[in-house]
Amino acid sequence: MTATLPRTSRTRGFATLRHSGILAQRSLLKSARNPGPVINGVITPALFMVLFLYLFGGPVAGSTAEYLQYLFPGILAMGAGLAGMISTASAINLDLKNGVTDRFRSLPIGRTAPLLGSVAADLLRYLVAVSILFLIGTLLGFRVQGGPLAALGATGLAILFGFCLSWAMVFIGVLVKSADAVLSFSFITFLPLQLGSSLGAPTDTLPGWLRAWADINPVTHVMNACRALLNGTPDDGSAGLTLLWSAVLFGVFCPLAVRAYGRQE
């Protein structure tokens, strides 16, 4: 009897993964029919890039070409983070409120499979978002100085951080009562995290109170890590801090989101 329990546990684990994969396909089909969140995750950072580039390129760096080399890595991190803040949390909230989740729970699938499937689908959304941002940045004149592997490393860091950050919003999406509330929380979180960082200028040029926040802001670390990789400059430890913050965000909010989702009736 004791010999069969591990096999049963493994079988259930494989079944949950398979069901999550199927529901990830459902989530991607929903995105294809309603690409608004993905488009928002690309358009908003692209607009910030164009506005910052032509408003501040001259005063900050002396030329738009030089400033773009500084700005784009931060925009890349913003794109992955913004996509992670909105898409899955809103979709899960709508499924909970519209009764779709109750229908899933009437099926012989794991209770958390819809949640895991939706989050897994986000990885492809992030990849699409950062690929489009790379294309826009290249058209504007950005050039990778660190080589192809560095570009892949920067993309991986941005997507990893966006994925781990998304769990915080997934947790909120499970708890709040409406998709509008999810969007409100996303916007409130977006301002201090994405803009209170090294996005537009080095933190040592910021006022003291803002610099104090930007220096400890995890988004600053991922932006600096992407900047070092893409521009081929020395890393000041930002890559390690990015990995550490990603682990903390995932370790804290993933269990909380899964537990809260499992308790929803």
Side-chain angles (χ1 to χ4, degrees):
M1 182 175 181
T2 56
T4 61
L5 288 176
R7 289 198 296 269
T8 302
S9 177
R10 286 196 298 269
T11 300
R12 290 176 179 173
F14 287 133
T16 298
L17 289 177
R18 183 168 62 86
H19 298 151
S20 298
I22 294 171
L23 291 171
Q25 296 178 29
R26 168 188 176 265
S27 181
L28 291 174
L29 288 174
K30 286 176 62 180
S31 291
R33 297 189 183 100
N34 181 26
V38 178
I39 292 175
N40 184 64
V42 175
I43 295 300
T44 301
L47 287 176
F48 271 100
M49 179 163 57
V50 173
L51 289 173
F52 276 42
L53 179 62
Y54 293 107
L55 286 175
F56 306 124
V60 173
S63 72
T64 56
E66 185 176 347
Y67 187 56
L68 183 60
Q69 292 298 129
Y70 176 87
L71 178 65
F72 177 77
I75 294 295
L76 183 70
M78 176 192 283
L82 185 60
M85 285 181 182
I86 297 175
S87 56
T88 293
S90 298
I92 291 171
N93 183 272
L94 287 172
D95 282 349
L96 283 168
K97 305 314 171 187
N98 294 338
V100 176
T101 301
D102 293 333
R103 294 186 63 185
F104 285 144
R105 286 172 177 163
S106 68
L107 301 174
I109 62 175
R111 289 179 63 86
T112 58
L115 174 65
L116 298 178
S118 185
V119 173
D122 258 353
L123 292 173
L124 183 57
R125 297 188 187 101
Y126 300 158
L127 184 59
V128 171
V130 299
S131 297
I132 295 174
L133 286 174
F134 258 112
L135 176 61
I136 296 172
T138 301
L139 292 175
L140 289 174
F142 177 78
R143 296 295 180 265
V144 176
Q145 306 295 328
L149 290 179
L152 289 175
T155 300
L157 277 178
I159 291 176
L160 173 66
F161 183 79
F163 172 77
C164 294
L165 179 64
S166 72
W167 282 101
M169 293 309 304
V170 167
F171 178 53
I172 292 173
V174 172
L175 295 181
V176 300
K177 295 183 178 181
S178 70
D180 290 338
V182 174
L183 293 177
S184 298
F185 276 107
S186 298
F187 181 74
I188 293 170
T189 306
F190 170 81
L191 290 176
L193 278 180
Q194 301 291 343
L195 300 183
S197 65
S198 63
L199 173 64
T203 58
D204 56 12
T205 66
L206 302 177
W209 63 270
L210 183 56
R211 179 181 179 181
W213 161 248
D215 283 340
I216 62 172
N217 184 352
V219 175
T220 293
H221 301 313
V222 67
M223 288 180 177
N224 288 345
C226 291
R227 196 169 284 124
L229 286 167
L230 293 174
N231 290 328
T233 55
D235 177 32
D236 59 356
S238 296
L241 289 171
T242 298
L243 295 175
L244 177 61
W245 271 110
S246 298
V248 170
L249 289 169
F250 183 81
V252 172
F253 288 105
C254 177
L256 287 175
V258 171
R259 189 177 299 116
Y261 185 81
R263 289 176 179 174
Q264 291 289 327
E265 297 295 342

